[in-house]
Amino acid sequence: MSIPAEAAAQLSEADLIERFAALPVANVGDAMDRLNVVDSGIQSVWPSAGVKMAGRAVPVTVAGGDNLGIHETIPTLQPGDVLVVNGQAATHRALIGELIAGRAMAQGCVGFVLDASVRDAVDLEQMRFPVFARGTTPAGPYRNGPFVGGVAAAVGTVVVHPGDLVLGDDDGVAVVPRSHAAEILVKAEAKHAAETKQRAEIGF
């Protein structure tokens, strides 16, 4: 059920994330006039369907093929965070695998979005840890730097600010600007309700 605008404005961040998590990412993208949807080249790396992610963005920009910034950021993650990595769209090295993901999970992180490659896709699915990336490769990363954290990062043509809401499912990833999250939620839930009604009228 869609929420009134006045009520949406009073929701806590946790409640906002919970309500966004219940929606298809496509409906959220529609509610943002099809903007802030991450490049379709960045997709879930799980071998099978069923991924779902919603959390608070922690952006970091790293050199292509280098994951020093990821290692430095992992200990700072808080429950509900999504690590968002501008990896320069470099796909020749995997920036993360199941070990880094496991450390992030221990911090309460709920997923990764990387404009780069990763590895250990099967392990990541078995861990039920959502990871969205440009692809997979067994080649490991360098760990020399440089990197920049704590500021906005461009990932898949979308600029992601610290604290923005990051949503992912089998269709891909969308980023909800935190300052407009309540109004976008109202539109997205209305869109979902309308589509649900249309499906019932069609008969599926």
Side-chain angles (χ1 to χ4, degrees), residues 40-114:
S40 62
I42 297 176
Q43 292 287 330
S44 170
V45 302
W46 288 7
S48 57
V51 68
K52 194 73 175 175
M53 178 188 73
R56 178 193 322 106
V58 177
V60 60
T61 298
V62 303
D66 191 287
N67 74 352
L68 178 62
I70 295 173
H71 282 283
E72 294 290 327
T73 304
I74 293 292
T76 72
L77 295 175
Q78 301 295 316
D81 283 347
V82 174
L83 182 62
V84 180
V85 181
N86 178 351
Q88 314 299 323
T91 57
H92 65 297
R93 300 280 170 182
L95 296 190
I96 68 99
E98 93 281 11
L99 294 178
I100 289 178
R103 288 198 289 271
M105 286 181 70
Q107 295 289 123
C109 179
V110 298
F112 289 168
V113 178
L114 304 98

Side-chain angles (χ1 to χ4, degrees), residues 135-173:
T136 59
T137 177
Y142 299 107
R143 193 171 171 179
N144 304 315
F147 71 92
V148 178
V151 296
V155 177
T157 72
V158 175
V159 176
V160 185
H161 294 85
D164 285 347
L165 307 187
V166 185
L167 314 175
D169 64 16
D170 293 320
D171 282 338
V173 177

Side-chain angles (χ1 to χ4, degrees), residues 3 6-16 19 178 185:
I3 188 171
E6 298 78 9
Q10 301 302 316
L11 290 175
S12 67
E13 180 179 73
D15 288 336
L16 278 170
R19 294 187 76 107
R178 182 63 183 87
L185 176 65

